[in-house]
Amino acid sequence: MEKTTITYTEASAEIEAILQRLRNEELDVDSLTREVTRATKLITLCKERLLKTEEEVNRIFE
C-alpha cells in the first residue's frame, strides 16, 4: 500500500502521473475521485515540505 514516508520527488512525480492520466482522459468516474483526492494530499505534502525547507534555509542564513 502507501509508504509512510514519501519524498518530495516521489510525490511530485506521482502528481505528474495523475495529471497525465487526467489529460489523456484515462480515468473513469470511479477512479477520478480517488485520484483527485490523492493528488490533493500529495500537493499538501509538497507545500508542507517546501515551507519547512524554506524555514530551515532562512534559519541558516540568520
Side-chain angles (χ1 to χ4, degrees), residues 3-52:
K3 295 187 328 183
T4 55
T5 305
I6 185 170
T7 67
Y8 178 89
T9 303
E10 291 169 332
S12 179
E14 189 173 341
I15 292 166
E16 287 298 324
I18 292 169
L19 286 172
Q20 190 63 40
R21 288 193 295 276
L22 283 168
R23 289 183 190 119
N24 293 337
E25 299 179 7
E26 297 174 8
L27 301 174
D28 60 20
V29 172
D30 296 322
S31 61
L32 179 61
T33 300
R34 183 179 62 249
E35 293 286 330
V36 170
T37 300
R38 176 70 178 157
T40 301
K41 290 178 183 178
L42 291 167
I43 290 167
T44 299
L45 180 139
C46 287
K47 285 181 178 180
E48 289 171 354
R49 297 265 171 90
L50 287 171
L51 180 60
K52 181 180 177 186

